[in-house]
Amino acid sequence: MPRVMAFSLLYLADKVKKNGSECEEWHWGSCVPNSRDCGLGYREGTCKEETKRVKCKIPCNWKKEFGADCKYKFENWTGCNVQTGFKTRSGTLKKALYNAQCQDTILVTKPCSPKIKSKSKVRKGKGKE
């Protein structure tokens, strides 16, 4: 048996042992938290007649509009819109985990901060006599 083919068979046999399946086209559902809307949970996957459950975790600061399985690269926040009281930023899809259905681009908003940040700092103690 050629060396490359022997390696491929060993690799495949090892892969089947690790995940216990020969199936290659798994379809995964979204992560379902054990309690409330974030934290530890599970996701179910199906392939032909097989079904599996794997552990997953939904961060408690996840954005519910687009889910925890859609990862985006975001631009910087815009300035505060005085009329609406919100600032916005857009995100471009970077990765869809577990074949999640994700939007290519999204727009998110958040309320403007009520605090006005001062850019100049007054130094105390040094240089004064």
Side-chain angles (χ1 to χ4, degrees):
M1 183 180 298
R3 186 176 282 196
V4 174
M5 188 173 201
F7 174 78
S8 297
L9 289 174
L10 286 173
Y11 175 76
L12 257 176
D14 189 41
K15 192 172 181 180
V16 169
K17 285 179 195 171
K18 282 184 182 176
N19 67 17
S21 174
E22 292 180 17
C23 200
E24 292 181 12
E25 293 198 27
W26 285 90
H27 299 280
W28 295 96
S30 57
C31 187
V32 178
N34 293 332
S35 62
R36 293 195 241 129
D37 62 351
C38 64
L40 295 176
Y42 67 91
R43 84 173 67 243
E44 285 192 350
T46 58
C47 182
K48 298 179 185 172
E49 303 296 320
E50 293 182 64
T51 302
K52 280 189 178 184
R53 266 188 172 186
V54 294
K55 292 179 184 177
C56 60
K57 183 177 180 183
I58 298 176
C60 289
N61 63 351
W62 67 302
K63 304 297 181 199
K64 293 176 185 153
E65 301 105 49
F66 52 85
D69 291 338
C70 302
K71 303 298 180 188
Y72 291 90
K73 180 171 176 69
F74 286 96
E75 297 175 357
N76 291 330
W77 288 102
T78 61
C80 183
N81 183 331
V82 181
Q83 293 174 338
T84 63
F86 286 91
K87 48 184 166 179
T88 61
R89 68 178 177 171
S90 62
T92 309
L93 183 65
K94 187 167 79 172
K95 184 189 281 188
L97 302 174
Y98 296 95
N99 299 325
Q101 299 295 317
C102 303
Q103 299 175 35
D104 291 334
T105 58
I106 58 170
L107 187 67
V108 293
T109 60
K110 75 175 185 178
C112 298
S113 174
K115 297 179 184 176
I116 298 173
K117 294 182 180 178
S118 174
K119 291 192 177 190
S120 63
K121 292 184 177 179
V122 177
R123 290 186 173 197
K124 294 181 182 178
K126 290 194 174 186
K128 294 184 180 180
E129 295 180 28

